[in-house]
Amino acid sequence: MDSELAFSAPAERNRQPILTVLRTLLPAQGQALEIASGTGQHVTWFAAHLPQWTWQPSDVSAELFPTIVARIAQAGLGNVQPPRLLDVMQAHWLGDAGAALRFELIYCANMLHIAPWACCAGLMHGAARHLAPDGRLVTYGPYLEDDVATSEGNKKFDASLRAANPAWGIRRREAVQEQAQGAGLRLAARYAMPANNLLLVWSRA
Ligand SMILES: C[S@@+](CC[C@H](N)C(=O)[O-])C[C@H]1O[C@@H](n2cnc3c(N)ncnc32)[C@H](O)[C@@H]1O
Protein backbone atom coordinates (compact mmCIF):
# COMPACT_ATOMS: atom_id res chain seq x y z
CA MET A 1 0.00 0.00 0.00
CA ASP A 2 1.07 3.58 -0.61
CA SER A 3 0.89 4.33 3.11
CA GLU A 4 3.71 1.86 3.82
CA LEU A 5 6.13 3.87 1.72
CA ALA A 6 8.05 6.96 2.78
CA PHE A 7 5.59 9.76 2.27
CA SER A 8 5.59 13.55 2.07
CA ALA A 9 2.26 15.20 2.92
CA PRO A 10 3.14 18.43 1.04
CA ALA A 11 4.04 16.42 -2.07
CA GLU A 12 0.63 14.76 -1.92
CA ARG A 13 -1.06 18.17 -1.66
CA ASN A 14 0.89 19.99 -4.36
CA ARG A 15 1.22 17.26 -7.02
CA GLN A 16 -2.16 18.02 -8.66
CA PRO A 17 -1.78 21.85 -8.76
CA ILE A 18 1.66 21.33 -10.30
CA LEU A 19 0.32 18.81 -12.83
CA THR A 20 -2.41 21.28 -13.82
CA VAL A 21 0.25 23.85 -14.75
CA LEU A 22 2.48 21.27 -16.45
CA ARG A 23 -0.44 20.27 -18.70
CA THR A 24 -0.65 23.84 -20.00
CA LEU A 25 3.10 24.03 -20.64
CA LEU A 26 4.10 20.73 -22.12
CA PRO A 27 3.78 19.28 -25.58
CA ALA A 28 1.87 16.03 -25.94
CA GLN A 29 4.94 13.86 -25.50
CA GLY A 30 8.56 14.05 -24.52
CA GLN A 31 11.30 12.96 -22.17
CA ALA A 32 11.43 14.33 -18.64
CA LEU A 33 14.22 14.29 -16.08
CA GLU A 34 13.28 14.84 -12.46
CA ILE A 35 15.99 16.25 -10.20
CA ALA A 36 15.77 15.64 -6.43
CA SER A 37 12.95 13.08 -6.67
CA GLY A 38 12.81 12.39 -2.92
CA THR A 39 9.95 9.95 -2.27
CA GLY A 40 8.98 9.78 -5.94
CA GLN A 41 5.41 10.96 -5.34
CA HIS A 42 5.63 13.70 -7.97
CA VAL A 43 7.17 11.57 -10.72
CA THR A 44 4.65 8.79 -10.09
CA TRP A 45 1.69 11.18 -10.31
CA PHE A 46 2.95 12.97 -13.39
CA ALA A 47 3.85 9.73 -15.19
CA ALA A 48 0.40 8.30 -14.49
CA HIS A 49 -1.34 11.41 -15.85
CA LEU A 50 1.03 12.21 -18.72
CA PRO A 51 1.46 8.70 -20.12
CA GLN A 52 2.91 9.86 -23.45
CA TRP A 53 5.94 11.16 -21.57
CA THR A 54 8.83 9.08 -20.29
CA TRP A 55 10.24 10.00 -16.90
CA GLN A 56 13.69 9.66 -15.37
CA PRO A 57 13.71 10.15 -11.59
CA SER A 58 17.01 11.02 -9.87
CA ASP A 59 18.44 12.18 -6.59
CA VAL A 60 21.80 12.89 -4.96
CA SER A 61 20.94 10.17 -2.43
CA ALA A 62 19.97 6.59 -3.22
CA GLU A 63 18.32 6.15 0.18
CA LEU A 64 14.77 6.47 -1.18
CA PHE A 65 15.36 4.65 -4.48
CA PRO A 66 13.65 1.47 -3.19
CA THR A 67 10.66 3.63 -2.25
CA ILE A 68 10.56 5.21 -5.70
CA VAL A 69 10.82 1.81 -7.40
CA ALA A 70 8.05 0.38 -5.21
CA ARG A 71 5.79 3.39 -5.79
CA ILE A 72 6.23 3.12 -9.56
CA ALA A 73 5.57 -0.63 -9.45
CA GLN A 74 2.43 -0.19 -7.33
CA ALA A 75 1.12 2.32 -9.86
CA GLY A 76 1.85 -0.15 -12.67
CA LEU A 77 3.72 2.45 -14.69
CA GLY A 78 5.77 1.47 -17.72
CA ASN A 79 6.93 4.99 -18.60
CA VAL A 80 9.29 5.59 -15.66
CA GLN A 81 12.94 4.58 -15.72
CA PRO A 82 14.63 3.28 -12.56
CA PRO A 83 15.97 6.19 -10.46
CA ARG A 84 19.52 7.36 -11.14
CA LEU A 85 22.06 9.03 -8.89
CA LEU A 86 22.42 12.67 -9.89
CA ASP A 87 24.10 15.44 -7.91
CA VAL A 88 23.39 18.79 -9.55
CA MET A 89 26.92 19.86 -8.59
CA GLN A 90 28.46 17.27 -10.88
CA ALA A 91 30.01 18.60 -14.08
CA HIS A 92 28.62 15.55 -15.87
CA TRP A 93 25.08 14.36 -15.16
CA LEU A 94 23.99 10.73 -15.60
CA GLY A 95 27.46 9.32 -16.15
CA ASP A 96 29.63 9.24 -19.24
CA ALA A 97 26.76 8.23 -21.50
CA GLY A 98 24.61 11.01 -20.06
CA ALA A 99 26.33 13.81 -21.96
CA ALA A 100 24.25 13.11 -25.07
CA LEU A 101 20.91 13.02 -23.26
CA ARG A 102 18.44 15.86 -23.91
CA PHE A 103 15.11 16.37 -22.16
CA GLU A 104 12.03 18.35 -23.13
CA LEU A 105 11.37 18.84 -19.39
CA ILE A 106 13.75 19.04 -16.46
CA TYR A 107 11.74 19.28 -13.24
CA CYS A 108 13.09 20.14 -9.80
CA ALA A 109 10.82 20.71 -6.79
CA ASN A 110 11.82 21.80 -3.33
CA MET A 111 15.58 21.40 -3.64
CA LEU A 112 16.98 24.94 -3.87
CA HIS A 113 16.15 25.83 -0.25
CA ILE A 114 17.32 22.50 1.17
CA ALA A 115 20.73 22.48 -0.50
CA PRO A 116 23.72 24.85 -0.48
CA TRP A 117 23.32 27.95 -2.65
CA ALA A 118 25.93 26.66 -5.11
CA CYS A 119 23.42 23.96 -6.10
CA CYS A 120 21.37 26.66 -7.83
CA ALA A 121 24.19 27.37 -10.29
CA GLY A 122 24.75 23.60 -10.60
CA LEU A 123 21.10 23.08 -11.50
CA MET A 124 21.04 25.90 -14.03
CA HIS A 125 24.26 24.89 -15.80
CA GLY A 126 23.24 21.23 -15.86
CA ALA A 127 19.83 22.12 -17.24
CA ALA A 128 21.45 24.26 -19.92
CA ARG A 129 23.56 21.25 -20.93
CA HIS A 130 20.65 18.79 -21.01
CA LEU A 131 17.59 20.72 -22.18
CA ALA A 132 16.35 20.03 -25.69
CA PRO A 133 16.34 23.19 -27.83
CA ASP A 134 12.71 24.02 -26.93
CA GLY A 135 12.89 22.31 -23.55
CA ARG A 136 11.78 23.79 -20.25
CA LEU A 137 13.28 23.68 -16.78
CA VAL A 138 10.55 23.86 -14.15
CA THR A 139 11.44 24.69 -10.56
CA TYR A 140 8.87 24.62 -7.79
CA GLY A 141 9.00 25.68 -4.16
CA PRO A 142 9.03 28.69 -1.86
CA TYR A 143 10.93 31.81 -2.97
CA LEU A 144 11.52 35.29 -1.60
CA GLU A 145 10.77 38.09 -4.06
CA ASP A 146 11.97 41.69 -3.82
CA ASP A 147 8.59 43.18 -4.73
CA VAL A 148 6.31 40.70 -2.94
CA ALA A 149 5.78 40.67 0.84
CA THR A 150 7.00 37.40 2.34
CA SER A 151 4.25 35.39 4.02
CA GLU A 152 4.57 34.69 7.74
CA GLY A 153 4.67 30.99 6.91
CA ASN A 154 7.64 31.40 4.58
CA LYS A 155 9.44 33.65 7.10
CA LYS A 156 9.12 30.95 9.76
CA PHE A 157 10.07 28.22 7.30
CA ASP A 158 13.16 30.17 6.22
CA ALA A 159 14.24 30.68 9.85
CA SER A 160 13.76 26.97 10.60
CA LEU A 161 15.77 25.97 7.54
CA ARG A 162 18.67 28.28 8.46
CA ALA A 163 18.60 27.02 12.06
CA ALA A 164 18.76 23.43 10.84
CA ASN A 165 21.60 24.16 8.40
CA PRO A 166 23.17 27.60 7.82
CA ALA A 167 23.76 26.66 4.16
CA TRP A 168 20.00 26.24 3.61
CA GLY A 169 17.29 28.87 3.26
CA ILE A 170 14.58 30.12 0.94
CA ARG A 171 16.21 31.69 -2.12
CA ARG A 172 15.47 35.07 -3.68
CA ARG A 173 13.79 34.58 -7.02
CA GLU A 174 15.89 37.43 -8.45
CA ALA A 175 19.12 35.72 -7.33
CA VAL A 176 18.01 32.45 -8.88
CA GLN A 177 17.26 34.39 -12.06
CA GLU A 178 20.83 35.76 -12.10
CA GLN A 179 22.20 32.22 -11.84
CA ALA A 180 19.91 31.14 -14.67
CA GLN A 181 21.08 34.02 -16.85
CA GLY A 182 24.69 33.05 -16.16
CA ALA A 183 23.89 29.61 -17.56
CA GLY A 184 22.11 30.96 -20.63
CA LEU A 185 18.56 30.47 -19.37
CA ARG A 186 15.77 32.99 -18.87
CA LEU A 187 12.64 33.11 -16.75
CA ALA A 188 9.81 32.37 -19.19
CA ALA A 189 6.89 32.21 -16.76
CA ARG A 190 6.01 32.56 -13.09
CA TYR A 191 2.99 30.86 -11.52
CA ALA A 192 1.78 31.64 -8.00
CA MET A 193 0.90 28.31 -6.40
CA PRO A 194 -0.95 27.30 -3.22
CA ALA A 195 0.74 27.76 0.16
CA ASN A 196 2.92 30.64 -1.04
CA ASN A 197 4.94 28.56 -3.47
CA LEU A 198 5.98 29.47 -6.99
CA LEU A 199 6.30 27.39 -10.12
CA LEU A 200 8.97 28.96 -12.34
CA VAL A 201 9.52 28.04 -15.98
CA TRP A 202 12.99 28.52 -17.47
CA SER A 203 13.90 28.32 -21.13
CA ARG A 204 16.97 28.96 -23.25
CA ALA A 205 17.71 32.69 -23.47
C1 LIG B 1 12.64 18.37 0.34
S1 LIG B 1 13.22 17.08 -0.72
C2 LIG B 1 12.18 17.34 -2.14
C3 LIG B 1 11.70 16.04 -2.72
C4 LIG B 1 10.65 16.17 -3.83
N1 LIG B 1 11.20 16.84 -4.98
C5 LIG B 1 9.41 16.89 -3.32
O1 LIG B 1 9.14 18.02 -3.74
O2 LIG B 1 8.70 16.31 -2.47
C6 LIG B 1 14.80 17.68 -1.26
C7 LIG B 1 15.55 16.70 -2.12
O3 LIG B 1 16.69 17.35 -2.68
C8 LIG B 1 17.71 16.38 -2.81
N2 LIG B 1 18.99 17.05 -3.04
C9 LIG B 1 19.70 17.79 -2.14
N3 LIG B 1 20.86 18.18 -2.68
C10 LIG B 1 20.89 17.72 -3.96
C11 LIG B 1 21.83 17.79 -5.01
N4 LIG B 1 23.02 18.41 -4.84
N5 LIG B 1 21.55 17.21 -6.20
C12 LIG B 1 20.37 16.56 -6.37
N6 LIG B 1 19.43 16.43 -5.39
C13 LIG B 1 19.70 17.01 -4.19
C14 LIG B 1 17.60 15.60 -1.51
O4 LIG B 1 18.27 14.37 -1.55
C15 LIG B 1 16.09 15.48 -1.36
O5 LIG B 1 15.60 14.30 -1.95
Side-chain angles (χ1 to χ4, degrees):
M1 292 295 292
D2 213 39
S3 57
E4 294 167 5
L5 299 173
F7 177 85
S8 155
E12 210 68 7
R13 285 195 296 273
N14 58 36
R15 63 185 188 175
Q16 182 57 42
I18 296 171
L19 174 65
T20 299
V21 177
L22 290 181
R23 282 189 190 283
T24 69
L25 294 174
L26 299 180
Q29 57 188 30
Q31 313 256 358
L33 169 65
E34 184 183 37
I35 308 288
S37 292
T39 61
Q41 285 160 263
H42 280 173
V43 76
T44 305
W45 189 251
F46 301 157
H49 291 85
L50 297 169
Q52 303 305 317
W53 280 71
T54 58
W55 299 82
Q56 175 63 69
S58 74
D59 203 285
V60 69
S61 164
E63 195 180 335
L64 288 174
F65 283 5
T67 296
I68 296 175
V69 169
R71 187 159 268 132
I72 293 163
Q74 283 179 0
L77 296 171
N79 58 335
V80 187
Q81 299 295 314
R84 299 274 305 266
L85 276 174
L86 192 161
D87 179 350
V88 294
M89 295 303 292
Q90 289 170 332
H92 304 284
W93 286 4
L94 300 170
D96 291 340
L101 295 175
R102 297 290 177 273
F103 299 91
E104 283 74 31
L105 170 67
I106 297 178
Y107 171 79
C108 180
N110 293 313
M111 184 201 74
L112 291 175
H113 57 285
I114 308 185
W117 172 236
C119 286
C120 181
L123 173 66
M124 295 300 173
H125 284 276
R129 290 193 302 272
H130 289 282
L131 277 178
D134 292 328
R136 296 284 182 270
L137 167 67
V138 169
T139 61
Y140 171 91
Y143 294 85
L144 308 177
E145 292 186 293
D146 291 350
D147 52 358
V148 179
T150 305
S151 68
E152 285 307 312
N154 275 353
K155 279 184 195 167
K156 283 186 189 153
F157 186 37
D158 184 48
S160 71
L161 287 166
R162 292 177 194 279
N165 186 332
W168 294 356
I170 301 182
R171 309 306 178 189
R172 282 178 58 241
R173 190 257 297 157
E174 294 81 359
V176 175
Q177 217 164 327
E178 281 174 21
Q179 298 299 315
Q181 279 164 7
L185 301 178
R186 70 178 179 91
L187 182 60
R190 169 198 178 281
Y191 294 84
M193 302 295 285
N196 299 303
N197 290 292
L198 293 180
L199 186 152
L200 301 178
V201 184
W202 310 89
S203 63
R204 293 192 182 282

Short mmCIF file of all heavy atoms in Angstrom, two decimals, residues 6-36:
data_model
loop_
_atom_site.label_atom_id
_atom_site.label_comp_id
_atom_site.label_asym_id
_atom_site.label_seq_id
_atom_site.Cartn_x
_atom_site.Cartn_y
_atom_site.Cartn_z
N ALA A 6 7.69 5.62 2.32
CA ALA A 6 8.05 6.96 2.78
C ALA A 6 7.19 7.96 2.04
O ALA A 6 6.97 7.84 0.83
CB ALA A 6 9.53 7.21 2.52
N PHE A 7 6.70 8.95 2.76
CA PHE A 7 5.59 9.76 2.27
C PHE A 7 5.77 11.21 2.68
O PHE A 7 6.16 11.49 3.81
CB PHE A 7 4.32 9.18 2.89
CG PHE A 7 3.06 9.91 2.58
CD1 PHE A 7 2.36 9.63 1.42
CD2 PHE A 7 2.57 10.87 3.45
CE1 PHE A 7 1.17 10.30 1.14
CE2 PHE A 7 1.39 11.53 3.17
CZ PHE A 7 0.69 11.24 2.01
N SER A 8 5.54 12.12 1.76
CA SER A 8 5.59 13.55 2.07
C SER A 8 4.18 14.11 1.90
O SER A 8 3.61 14.06 0.80
CB SER A 8 6.56 14.25 1.11
OG SER A 8 6.22 15.61 0.99
N ALA A 9 3.62 14.63 2.99
CA ALA A 9 2.26 15.20 2.92
C ALA A 9 2.21 16.40 1.97
O ALA A 9 1.28 16.51 1.16
CB ALA A 9 1.77 15.57 4.32
N PRO A 10 3.20 17.32 2.01
CA PRO A 10 3.14 18.43 1.04
C PRO A 10 3.16 17.94 -0.41
O PRO A 10 2.45 18.48 -1.26
CB PRO A 10 4.40 19.25 1.37
CG PRO A 10 4.70 18.93 2.79
CD PRO A 10 4.27 17.51 2.99
N ALA A 11 3.97 16.92 -0.69
CA ALA A 11 4.04 16.42 -2.07
C ALA A 11 2.68 15.90 -2.52
O ALA A 11 2.28 16.06 -3.68
CB ALA A 11 5.10 15.33 -2.19
N GLU A 12 1.96 15.28 -1.58
CA GLU A 12 0.63 14.76 -1.92
C GLU A 12 -0.34 15.91 -2.20
O GLU A 12 -1.19 15.82 -3.09
CB GLU A 12 0.12 13.92 -0.74
CG GLU A 12 -0.80 12.80 -1.12
CD GLU A 12 -0.11 11.69 -1.92
OE1 GLU A 12 1.13 11.71 -2.07
OE2 GLU A 12 -0.83 10.83 -2.43
N ARG A 13 -0.17 17.01 -1.47
CA ARG A 13 -1.06 18.17 -1.66
C ARG A 13 -0.75 18.94 -2.94
O ARG A 13 -1.64 19.43 -3.61
CB ARG A 13 -0.94 19.13 -0.47
CG ARG A 13 -1.62 18.66 0.80
CD ARG A 13 -1.76 19.81 1.78
NE ARG A 13 -0.50 20.34 2.25
CZ ARG A 13 0.17 19.89 3.29
NH1 ARG A 13 -0.30 18.87 3.99
NH2 ARG A 13 1.32 20.42 3.67
N ASN A 14 0.56 19.07 -3.26
CA ASN A 14 0.89 19.99 -4.36
C ASN A 14 1.03 19.30 -5.72
O ASN A 14 1.16 19.97 -6.74
CB ASN A 14 2.16 20.82 -4.02
CG ASN A 14 3.37 19.95 -3.73
OD1 ASN A 14 3.56 18.92 -4.34
ND2 ASN A 14 4.21 20.41 -2.80
N ARG A 15 0.98 17.95 -5.74
CA ARG A 15 1.22 17.26 -7.02
C ARG A 15 0.16 17.61 -8.07
O ARG A 15 0.49 17.79 -9.25
CB ARG A 15 1.30 15.74 -6.80
CG ARG A 15 0.01 15.15 -6.28
CD ARG A 15 0.13 13.67 -5.94
NE ARG A 15 -1.20 13.14 -5.64
CZ ARG A 15 -1.47 11.87 -5.41
NH1 ARG A 15 -0.49 10.97 -5.42
NH2 ARG A 15 -2.67 11.47 -5.16
N GLN A 16 -1.12 17.73 -7.65
CA GLN A 16 -2.16 18.02 -8.66
C GLN A 16 -2.10 19.47 -9.14
O GLN A 16 -2.15 19.71 -10.36
CB GLN A 16 -3.55 17.67 -8.12
CG GLN A 16 -4.67 17.90 -9.12
CD GLN A 16 -4.47 17.14 -10.43
OE1 GLN A 16 -4.06 15.97 -10.42
NE2 GLN A 16 -4.72 17.78 -11.57
N PRO A 17 -1.94 20.47 -8.24
CA PRO A 17 -1.78 21.85 -8.76
C PRO A 17 -0.58 21.98 -9.70
O PRO A 17 -0.65 22.70 -10.71
CB PRO A 17 -1.59 22.69 -7.50
CG PRO A 17 -2.26 21.91 -6.41
CD PRO A 17 -2.09 20.47 -6.76
N ILE A 18 0.49 21.27 -9.42
CA ILE A 18 1.66 21.33 -10.30
C ILE A 18 1.33 20.67 -11.64
O ILE A 18 1.63 21.21 -12.72
CB ILE A 18 2.90 20.67 -9.65
CG1 ILE A 18 3.31 21.44 -8.39
CG2 ILE A 18 4.06 20.59 -10.64
CD1 ILE A 18 4.37 20.73 -7.55
N LEU A 19 0.70 19.50 -11.58
CA LEU A 19 0.32 18.81 -12.83
C LEU A 19 -0.58 19.69 -13.69
O LEU A 19 -0.42 19.73 -14.92
CB LEU A 19 -0.38 17.49 -12.51
CG LEU A 19 -0.93 16.73 -13.71
CD1 LEU A 19 0.19 16.26 -14.64
CD2 LEU A 19 -1.80 15.54 -13.26
N THR A 20 -1.49 20.41 -13.06
CA THR A 20 -2.41 21.28 -13.82
C THR A 20 -1.61 22.31 -14.61
O THR A 20 -1.93 22.58 -15.78
CB THR A 20 -3.40 21.96 -12.85
OG1 THR A 20 -4.15 20.94 -12.20
CG2 THR A 20 -4.34 22.89 -13.58
N VAL A 21 -0.57 22.88 -14.01
CA VAL A 21 0.25 23.85 -14.75
C VAL A 21 1.08 23.14 -15.82
O VAL A 21 1.17 23.61 -16.96
CB VAL A 21 1.17 24.65 -13.79
CG1 VAL A 21 2.06 25.60 -14.58
CG2 VAL A 21 0.34 25.43 -12.77
N LEU A 22 1.66 21.99 -15.47
CA LEU A 22 2.48 21.27 -16.45
C LEU A 22 1.67 20.97 -17.71
O LEU A 22 2.18 21.07 -18.83
CB LEU A 22 3.03 19.97 -15.86
CG LEU A 22 4.10 20.10 -14.77
CD1 LEU A 22 4.56 18.71 -14.30
CD2 LEU A 22 5.29 20.92 -15.26
N ARG A 23 0.41 20.59 -17.54
CA ARG A 23 -0.44 20.27 -18.70
C ARG A 23 -0.53 21.44 -19.67
O ARG A 23 -0.64 21.26 -20.87
CB ARG A 23 -1.85 19.90 -18.24
CG ARG A 23 -2.00 18.51 -17.68
CD ARG A 23 -3.49 18.24 -17.49
NE ARG A 23 -3.77 17.03 -16.76
CZ ARG A 23 -3.69 15.79 -17.25
NH1 ARG A 23 -3.30 15.62 -18.49
NH2 ARG A 23 -3.98 14.75 -16.50
N THR A 24 -0.53 22.67 -19.12
CA THR A 24 -0.65 23.84 -20.00
C THR A 24 0.67 24.16 -20.69
O THR A 24 0.68 24.88 -21.69
CB THR A 24 -1.09 25.09 -19.20
OG1 THR A 24 -0.03 25.49 -18.34
CG2 THR A 24 -2.34 24.83 -18.38
N LEU A 25 1.77 23.66 -20.13
CA LEU A 25 3.10 24.03 -20.64
C LEU A 25 3.66 23.05 -21.65
O LEU A 25 4.40 23.43 -22.56
CB LEU A 25 4.12 24.05 -19.48
CG LEU A 25 4.00 25.07 -18.38
CD1 LEU A 25 5.03 24.76 -17.30
CD2 LEU A 25 4.22 26.46 -18.95
N LEU A 26 3.33 21.78 -21.44
CA LEU A 26 4.10 20.73 -22.12
C LEU A 26 3.47 20.30 -23.43
O LEU A 26 2.24 20.27 -23.56
CB LEU A 26 4.21 19.50 -21.19
CG LEU A 26 4.92 19.73 -19.87
CD1 LEU A 26 4.96 18.43 -19.05
CD2 LEU A 26 6.34 20.26 -20.08
N PRO A 27 4.31 19.93 -24.39
CA PRO A 27 3.78 19.28 -25.58
C PRO A 27 3.21 17.91 -25.24
O PRO A 27 3.34 17.45 -24.10
CB PRO A 27 5.02 19.15 -26.49
CG PRO A 27 6.19 19.27 -25.60
CD PRO A 27 5.77 20.07 -24.40
N ALA A 28 2.59 17.28 -26.21
CA ALA A 28 1.87 16.03 -25.94
C ALA A 28 2.79 14.92 -25.45
O ALA A 28 2.38 14.07 -24.66
CB ALA A 28 1.13 15.58 -27.19
N GLN A 29 4.02 14.92 -25.92
CA GLN A 29 4.94 13.86 -25.50
C GLN A 29 6.35 14.39 -25.40
O GLN A 29 6.68 15.43 -25.97
CB GLN A 29 4.87 12.68 -26.46
CG GLN A 29 5.17 13.05 -27.90
CD GLN A 29 4.89 11.87 -28.82
OE1 GLN A 29 4.02 11.04 -28.56
NE2 GLN A 29 5.62 11.80 -29.90
N GLY A 30 7.18 13.64 -24.67
CA GLY A 30 8.56 14.05 -24.52
C GLY A 30 9.25 13.23 -23.45
O GLY A 30 8.68 12.28 -22.90
N GLN A 31 10.48 13.63 -23.18
CA GLN A 31 11.30 12.96 -22.17
C GLN A 31 11.51 13.94 -21.03
O GLN A 31 11.89 15.09 -21.27
CB GLN A 31 12.67 12.61 -22.74
CG GLN A 31 12.62 11.97 -24.10
CD GLN A 31 12.89 10.48 -24.02
OE1 GLN A 31 13.14 9.96 -22.94
NE2 GLN A 31 12.83 9.81 -25.14
N ALA A 32 11.28 13.46 -19.80
CA ALA A 32 11.43 14.33 -18.64
C ALA A 32 12.46 13.76 -17.67
O ALA A 32 12.52 12.55 -17.45
CB ALA A 32 10.09 14.46 -17.93
N LEU A 33 13.26 14.64 -17.13
CA LEU A 33 14.22 14.29 -16.08
C LEU A 33 13.78 15.00 -14.81
O LEU A 33 13.62 16.23 -14.80
CB LEU A 33 15.62 14.78 -16.48
CG LEU A 33 16.70 14.73 -15.38
CD1 LEU A 33 17.00 13.29 -14.95
CD2 LEU A 33 17.98 15.42 -15.87
N GLU A 34 13.56 14.22 -13.76
CA GLU A 34 13.28 14.84 -12.46
C GLU A 34 14.55 14.86 -11.62
O GLU A 34 15.21 13.83 -11.44
CB GLU A 34 12.19 14.10 -11.69
CG GLU A 34 11.87 14.84 -10.38
CD GLU A 34 10.84 14.16 -9.48
OE1 GLU A 34 10.83 12.92 -9.41
OE2 GLU A 34 10.06 14.87 -8.85
N ILE A 35 14.88 16.05 -11.12
CA ILE A 35 15.99 16.25 -10.20
C ILE A 35 15.42 16.21 -8.78
O ILE A 35 14.34 16.75 -8.55
CB ILE A 35 16.65 17.64 -10.44
CG1 ILE A 35 17.02 17.84 -11.91
CG2 ILE A 35 17.82 17.86 -9.51
CD1 ILE A 35 18.18 17.05 -12.38
N ALA A 36 16.17 15.62 -7.85
CA ALA A 36 15.77 15.64 -6.43
C ALA A 36 14.41 14.99 -6.23
O ALA A 36 13.48 15.58 -5.66
CB ALA A 36 15.79 17.06 -5.87
#
